Amino acid sequence: MVSIAAYSAPNTGTPQRVSAFSQDTVPLSVVLLFDLTDSVRPVLKSLGEGALEALQHLKPEDEVTVMVYAASARVVQEATTDRALAVAAIEKASSMESEEAAFFNEGIFKAAEQLTKGKDPSSRRVIIWLTDNVPNIPSEDAIPLRYRKSLNGAMPHTQSEAMRELLRTNTLVCSLVKQSDLSITGESGLRAKPAEWMLHPPGEVYKYAAATGGQVIEFKKKELKEKLALLIDDLRMRYSLGYHPSAQKPKGKYCVIKVKLAPEAKKVAGNVVVEARQGYYR
């Protein structure tokens, strides 16, 4: 038993009546998005080796797209239900390299955009993002051209643009995060420059996951195959809630929502963590 509150402004809102409640049975459309920076690349090998076993946790009708990104994003394999094609693409991605900077926001924007091209428009859209969560500082426009040449002079998408695209396309972001020694060293250097960090805020996996109702899983290198399989199982067990908004809003308006257990359900379930999207665009 649940209750939903929809907020049109901070600290205000009206409880909404739930009109639909079910465990999801619709197919998944998944983008596996791989960060190609030097600090992440060694971890991709273990995913390539265990990809087939992990993908067995998907249903036959679930689609998989494989993408990689550095400065720009590219599709290695279009949406497919053929597991052999998906595994071959993952193995190919796990051996790819890039000398460019990695722009989180660009990768996420393009992955969300790619999900709209899936064969089944009714499927649930999910990005499973493999990264070390260490961004590039200073900002994209200050990084030398040789580290962003694949953008052909264009500016990468911003965090706000990427977030809007995720919410517009109803895309869930989950992330598998692994930091190598190189990642830790790089992050320490960035944290030592708080002024630059605040001036040029990077995309961040926890923000994307929280806004879309996803989760972030940190893992050790040998756990990657297992964690991916567990994440897929969790995605298959999620629930869908539906309601008819009581207040009319103009098209394109962003509406904040909050999902929580009803008091009587809390007495039975105790303290639970509810992972749900924070809002949507009408």
Side-chain angles (χ1 to χ4, degrees), residues 96-123:
M96 295 175 70
E97 299 182 6
S98 176
E99 295 182 354
E100 293 186 308
F103 298 153
F104 286 14
N105 304 319
E106 182 69 14
I108 287 294
F109 183 96
K110 290 296 185 182
E113 187 178 60
Q114 185 65 30
L115 279 168
T116 65
K117 303 175 183 179
K119 300 173 184 175
D120 186 350
S122 67
S123 62

Side-chain angles (χ1 to χ4, degrees), residues 151-174:
L151 287 171
N152 297 317
M155 289 299 295
H157 289 88
T158 64
Q159 180 176 288
S160 61
E161 290 172 333
M163 192 71 78
R164 185 181 180 90
E165 185 69 4
L166 289 171
L167 297 174
R168 185 189 70 80
T169 58
N170 297 324
T171 299
L172 177 75
V173 176
C174 295

Side-chain angles (χ1 to χ4, degrees), residues 21-78:
F21 179 76
S22 64
Q23 190 167 27
D24 276 326
T25 57
V26 297
L28 293 174
S29 185
V30 178
V31 165
L32 293 174
L33 180 65
F34 299 141
D35 183 336
L36 291 183
T37 50
D38 291 340
S39 52
V40 179
R41 198 178 304 130
V43 185
L44 297 183
K45 289 291 184 182
S46 61
L47 179 58
E49 294 164 1
L52 180 58
E53 184 177 337
L55 293 186
Q56 296 306 314
H57 289 249
L58 291 169
K59 289 185 176 181
E61 62 269 27
D62 294 337
E63 297 178 344
V64 177
T65 299
V66 179
M67 295 182 67
V68 296
Y69 76 96
S72 60
R74 58 175 287 196
V75 176
V76 180
Q77 172 62 54
E78 300 277 354

Side-chain angles (χ1 to χ4, degrees), residues 15-240:
Q16 304 294 306
R17 184 180 182 84
V18 176
S19 58
F21 179 76
S22 64
Q23 190 167 27
D24 276 326
T25 57
V26 297
L28 293 174
S29 185
V30 178
V31 165
L32 293 174
L33 180 65
F34 299 141
D35 183 336
L36 291 183
T37 50
D38 291 340
S39 52
V40 179
R41 198 178 304 130
V43 185
L44 297 183
K45 289 291 184 182
S46 61
L47 179 58
E49 294 164 1
L52 180 58
E53 184 177 337
L55 293 186
Q56 296 306 314
H57 289 249
L58 291 169
K59 289 185 176 181
E61 62 269 27
D62 294 337
E63 297 178 344
V64 177
T65 299
V66 179
M67 295 182 67
V68 296
Y69 76 96
S72 60
R74 58 175 287 196
V75 176
V76 180
Q77 172 62 54
E78 300 277 354
T80 180
T81 56
D82 187 325
R83 299 294 172 253
L85 288 178
V87 169
I90 292 170
E91 291 175 343
K92 180 179 179 179
S94 70
S95 63
M96 295 175 70
E97 299 182 6
S98 176
E99 295 182 354
E100 293 186 308
F103 298 153
F104 286 14
N105 304 319
E106 182 69 14
I108 287 294
F109 183 96
K110 290 296 185 182
E113 187 178 60
Q114 185 65 30
L115 279 168
T116 65
K117 303 175 183 179
K119 300 173 184 175
D120 186 350
S122 67
S123 62
R124 286 191 295 131
R125 297 166 178 166
V126 182
I127 297 172
I128 298 179
W129 181 12
L130 183 66
T131 180
D132 61 355
N133 199 30
V134 178
N136 294 104
I137 300 292
S139 66
E140 291 91 334
D141 58 336
I143 292 177
L145 181 61
R146 67 180 180 278
Y147 294 124
R148 51 189 176 93
K149 59 185 178 182
S150 65
L151 287 171
N152 297 317
M155 289 299 295
H157 289 88
T158 64
Q159 180 176 288
S160 61
E161 290 172 333
M163 192 71 78
R164 185 181 180 90
E165 185 69 4
L166 289 171
L167 297 174
R168 185 189 70 80
T169 58
N170 297 324
T171 299
L172 177 75
V173 176
C174 295
S175 183
L176 295 168
V177 174
K178 172 69 172 72
Q179 288 204 336
S180 64
D181 291 340
L182 184 57
S183 304
I184 295 170
T185 300
E187 185 173 45
S188 297
L190 298 178
R191 296 291 182 184
K193 303 175 181 178
E196 286 187 356
W197 186 277
M198 293 179 66
L199 183 61
H200 306 294
E204 210 233 68
V205 295
Y206 294 93
K207 291 179 182 178
Y208 285 125
T212 61
Q215 60 179 304
V216 178
I217 299 176
E218 298 181 7
F219 67 95
K220 297 177 182 178
K221 185 175 180 179
K222 293 181 179 180
E223 299 175 331
L224 178 53
K225 179 178 67 175
E226 174 189 353
K227 295 297 186 182
L228 176 59
L230 288 173
L231 178 56
I232 291 172
D233 288 342
D234 177 78
L235 291 168
R236 291 245 56 96
M237 295 172 63
R238 292 196 166 216
Y239 292 88
S240 289

